[in-house]
Amino acid sequence: MDESGVSPENHVRIFDTTLRDGEQSPGASLTSAEKIDIARQLARLGVDIIEAGFPAASPDDLEGVRRIAHEVGTPDGPIICGLARATRGDIDKAWEAIKDAAKPRIHTFLATSDIHMKHKLRMTREQVVERTRDMVAYARSFCDDVEFSPEDACRSDPDFLVEVLGVAIEAGATTLNIPDTVGYITPDEYGALMRKLIHETPGGDRVIWSVHCHDDLGMATANSLAGLVAGARQAEVTINGIGERAGNTSLEEIVMALRTRPNMFDLTTRIDTTQLTRTSRMVSNFTGIMVQPNKAVVGANAFSHEAGIHQDGMLKHQATYEIMTPEDVGLTQSNLVLGKHSGRHAFRVRLQELGYEMDGEDLNQAFIRFKELADKKKTVTDADIEALIADEFYGPEEVFHLEGIQVACGQPGMPTATIRLRGPDDRVCTCAAIGTGPVDAVYQAIDQIIAVPNTLVEYRVSAITEGIDALGEVTVRIRRDENGGQTFGGHGADTDIIVASAKAYLSALNKMLAITGYQDHAPEGAAATIRVGTST
Ligand code: KIV
Ligand code: ZN
């Protein structure tokens, strides 16, 4: 046992790759400010390793990883890892990005399946073995902590894997990760493969073995658990299971499976499970990727009971239909009975209980928003406060700020919106537009000011709590019509869903502008411009 009471043999290291494999989800682009906020939250959650990005992908990616290494990679914080293909150039960039972390790790990978070696790499088996030896040793010349992944391991010849992994250990790898890159394997097969590799690879007892599964056939969690049962002690996972195509194994499912079934697994993690819901919401808000309502552990329905028989059982004893409690995953039930007469002190204490340390100007700002909400809503719940904090304090740097919004609609009528935005150089633009409905009119008016061609690919509205006065939450995803068609997510919350819709669209546009740059299309020198457009 170590000082925290964790037995090293039974400890599963949680390697979070939300910011690397997760960010590879279509439309999951994150600004560097959002990446830092997520990395801080992952550290609070208690992950052992953060894979912060792929530094060779672009100068922005390198800078994002470097900031996380510097700001989150403290001596008592997580290991900060950078991904690199097995090339000197990639490894140099990964090291440059992570070297400021107290505990840096380089993760290098090279494909080992015949199909990848022949068609993608155009390399022979011998060349792959030699490249593995050279590049693991090269990574090791910078850093004591080196992870190696044979990409597409689960479609590779298992005996060839033993050879490559043995060479990686000889060259200095300290963690060996076995990726099911295309989500092809089944639990029995993955467990058997892991067992074979651990026992047959020379030096296999000196390294940590790791699982990394994709969810193309819906088996990522089951496969990862099978790998852990077979002896792996690191799980590569993402929040909400986001990732390439159908995604990666979800962190919350692995952690709660190990915690809920101790007799089955006898394995532990250092995760503070009460942070799971908050982390899930943050990742969903920032990426614009909604969590499906029936998602295990963090879905909106994960703790809802609809059938009469179930409700009756629950009223008699919670354990009749619940194997975990909402409190276990940080889904607090308390209603905040702070009304408009409540003071700043009580509000601050509640924020602290929810994990937000706020002082000075930030506290003032949060308190103003809380009071505005308490004026409109009878009870302000913890979920309301979290949405309000996300809305006010997280999200991209604002290029354009919403200063005012007015909408007229009805039947019969022409839905009309007037929008006022404050843009670069403090220029204020006011614009009115007619749309097919109020949200369309708002978006048309915003488009006339910001004028970056894009397509709205997803628009969702949901109520954060029950009741007619509930806070409405809107999530959108937009795709830029030029510059490679990248997708960006945005989020907004307000008691008025039209205002929430405007905030969500503006936050997606701000993210697009922050990541891809802004060219001012607004009229030259206009301090206050009024333009009227129609949807035609
Ligand atoms: O799925 C995969 O093969 C990967 C590797 C880079 C580890 O993400
Ligand atoms: Zn992957």
Side-chain angles (χ1 to χ4, degrees), residues 17 20-22 24 51 151 177 179-182 212-214 236 243-245 247-248:
T17 184
R20 200 279 297 170
D21 222 337
Q24 289 173 220
E51 185 162 56
E151 191 190 8
N177 178 45
D180 182 20
T181 304
V182 291
H212 178 118
C213 298
H214 282 267
E236 301 203 353
E244 280 279 3
R245 306 180 310 280
N248 288 60

Side-chain angles (χ1 to χ4, degrees), residues 1-7 270:
M1 299 263 178
D2 68 12
E3 67 281 1
S4 62
V6 174
S7 155
R270 289 204 177 89

Side-chain angles (χ1 to χ4, degrees), residues 13 92 119-120 129 142 173 184 216 369 387 429 441 455 458 472 534:
R13 292 145 191 84
D92 289 341
H119 297 289
K120 187 181 81 170
V129 170
F142 296 111
Y184 176 73
D216 299 66
R369 286 290 305 267
C429 284
T455 306
E458 198 172 304
T534 67

Side-chain angles (χ1 to χ4, degrees), residues 507-525:
S507 104
L509 282 166
N510 275 327
K511 188 183 290 188
M512 179 190 282
L513 299 176
I515 291 176
T516 64
Y518 174 61
Q519 277 184 334
D520 196 348
H521 296 277
E524 271 297 299

